[in-house]
Amino acid sequence: MESKPSLPEEDLCCTVCCDIFRDPVFLSCTHSVCKACLKEFWKQKGSRECPMCRKRLSMDNPPCNLALKNLCDAYLQEKGQRYSAGPDVHCSLHSEKLKLFCLDDKQSICVVCRDSKNHKKHDCIPIDEAALDHKEEVKMALKPLKDMLEVLNEVKLTCDQTAEHIKTQAQHTEKQIKEEFGKLHQFLQDEEEARIAALRKEEKQKSQTMTKKIEEMSREISSLSDTIRAIEKELGADDISFLQNFKATVKKAKCTLSNPEKISGSLIHVAKYLGNLQFRVWEKMQEIVPSASHPVRGSDECDIHQRRCHISVCKQCKK
């Protein structure tokens, strides 16, 4: 019986997902793609066009390419690889069960592979022992990541507390400013409002800075948490899957992380608003007083000057 001519695997691969076709559909431009890949491409693109030649398509639901689907199913059946199946536990070369792990080539092999020329001089151990040793290596690499996560959580907690303290500082400082300005006369109202405005501006700027820092910490914590969960998921996988993904898993676990920057200069400069408040404001009050020539004591000009200064003792009258 003649054997069916086999196509190269690349001829059976979808250009979008680069995997064996799954439910291929036939487009009017003669190209074929997976049905799910086409739908996702259209969704991201926002228009119906061919992923390969970009030709606009009129059909919303292209027909199934049955001939290509049958070829792909036959190919997968021949190789013993169906998409619904889990990782293959048999050697693709000898169809023997994968029971050994080659330490030199870092791959799972069968007993026939061990005796072949490719692995005959290599160091091979049972696959369960290899999985156990490599899991310990990943666990050791995972520990600094967990330690870093703890540091990040502590920094974020400090940021949260600092942000709350900024608000408390602003409220307390505003109250003190109002109490100090309550001791002064009405014309000090402008100075009070100016200082409160400056305080609130600084509070806004520093709160925004702290909010950005908190968001940055949250993103780093989320990213690191995702990495840890992904690594822990690999640790929980079966031995074959774990070893097949071992290099990528170790690479994730050994990623370089930098310590978060220390927080400095983030609190409100309270002394700028409260330090020597009355003395500095009094100096400004003196600037407000006009530098007119000294009037005759008790004259109408002095009375007018006193009313203009809003003080009971005119500076120019010395009383």
Side-chain angles (χ1 to χ4, degrees):
M1 180 180 296
E2 295 185 2
S3 60
K4 296 181 180 179
S6 59
L7 292 173
E9 182 173 327
E10 55 267 22
D11 291 342
L12 301 177
C13 291
C14 171
T15 57
V16 178
C17 63
C18 300
D19 205 349
I20 303 298
F21 282 106
R22 293 169 289 179
D23 296 327
V25 293
F26 188 74
L27 306 179
S28 59
C29 59
T30 72
H31 291 123
S32 294
V33 293
C34 296
K35 183 177 182 180
C37 293
L38 182 64
K39 294 292 185 183
E40 182 63 24
F41 178 80
W42 284 357
K43 180 180 179 181
Q44 294 180 0
K45 194 70 176 177
S47 60
R48 291 199 296 269
E49 58 183 54
C50 174
M52 298 177 65
C53 65
R54 296 299 192 270
K55 181 179 179 180
R56 294 190 66 83
L57 306 171
S58 58
M59 290 187 297
D60 183 42
N61 191 19
C64 176
N65 191 336
L66 188 58
L68 182 58
K69 183 178 187 301
N70 291 338
L71 282 174
C72 293
D73 289 343
Y75 177 82
L76 291 175
Q77 186 174 9
E78 180 183 354
K79 292 294 184 179
Q81 298 176 347
R82 293 198 175 275
Y83 288 99
S84 59
D88 196 355
V89 295
H90 291 81
C91 178
S92 60
L93 297 176
H94 309 108
S95 299
E96 294 288 337
K97 191 172 183 180
L98 299 173
K99 294 183 178 180
L100 301 171
F101 185 76
C102 177
L103 296 177
D104 297 84
D105 294 335
K106 301 295 183 181
Q107 68 178 87
S108 302
I109 61 174
C110 67
V111 291
V112 180
C113 292
R114 177 192 60 188
D115 299 330
S116 67
K117 63 180 181 179
N118 293 332
H119 301 279
K120 191 171 184 178
K121 295 182 179 181
H122 290 177
D123 189 8
C124 302
I125 61 175
I127 204 165
D128 55 345
E129 293 183 12
L132 184 62
D133 293 341
H134 286 69
K135 283 184 178 180
E136 288 300 322
E137 182 179 348
V138 173
K139 288 179 180 178
M140 292 297 294
L142 186 62
K143 187 178 184 302
L145 297 183
K146 290 185 175 180
D147 293 340
M148 178 58 68
L149 179 61
E150 184 177 350
V151 172
L152 291 174
N153 280 320
E154 291 178 356
V155 173
K156 183 179 181 297
L157 177 61
T158 301
C159 291
D160 291 335
Q161 293 173 343
T162 303
E164 187 63 30
H165 187 53
I166 288 173
K167 294 180 180 179
T168 303
Q169 274 192 309
Q171 294 171 357
H172 181 67
T173 306
E174 182 176 337
K175 180 181 178 182
Q176 285 185 287
I177 291 173
K178 288 183 177 180
E179 289 176 352
E180 291 294 334
F181 276 94
K183 300 174 184 178
L184 304 175
H185 294 283
Q186 183 61 37
F187 78 94
L188 294 175
Q189 184 65 37
D190 292 340
E191 178 70 10
E192 178 185 11
E193 293 175 354
R195 286 174 179 265
I196 291 177
L199 169 66
R200 290 176 177 170
K201 180 179 179 181
E202 183 177 355
E203 178 197 8
K204 181 179 179 181
Q205 292 174 343
K206 293 192 174 180
S207 294
Q208 288 176 344
T209 300
M210 193 55 57
T211 297
K212 290 180 181 179
K213 182 69 175 178
I214 293 172
E215 290 174 353
E216 178 184 345
M217 291 295 101
S218 298
R219 286 193 297 270
E220 292 187 16
I221 289 171
S222 177
S223 175
L224 184 56
S225 298
D226 291 342
T227 300
I228 292 174
R229 282 195 295 269
I231 294 174
E232 289 179 336
K233 182 178 180 181
E234 291 295 336
L235 288 173
D238 57 82
D239 294 344
I240 300 299
S241 295
F242 170 77
L243 293 173
Q244 288 176 344
N245 299 324
F246 170 71
K247 290 183 179 180
T249 303
V250 171
K251 186 177 179 180
K252 290 180 182 179
K254 291 184 178 181
C255 62
T256 304
L257 298 173
S258 58
N259 287 319
E261 298 179 358
K262 294 182 178 180
I263 302 171
S264 61
S266 58
L267 298 180
I268 289 176
H269 188 7
V270 179
K272 181 174 65 176
Y273 304 100
L274 298 178
N276 296 323
L277 176 62
Q278 293 185 6
F279 177 78
R280 291 192 298 175
V281 172
W282 176 250
E283 287 184 331
K284 290 187 178 182
M285 290 171 59
Q286 291 178 315
E287 295 175 2
I288 297 174
V289 178
S291 57
S293 59
H294 180 63
V296 178
R297 187 175 303 175
S299 65
D300 293 338
E301 184 181 354
C302 183
D303 293 337
I304 295 173
H305 186 220
Q306 289 184 8
R307 288 195 296 271
R308 186 187 301 135
C309 293
H310 290 255
I311 54 177
S312 58
V313 179
C314 177
K315 179 182 179 182
Q316 296 181 21
C317 298
K318 306 299 182 182
K319 286 188 178 181

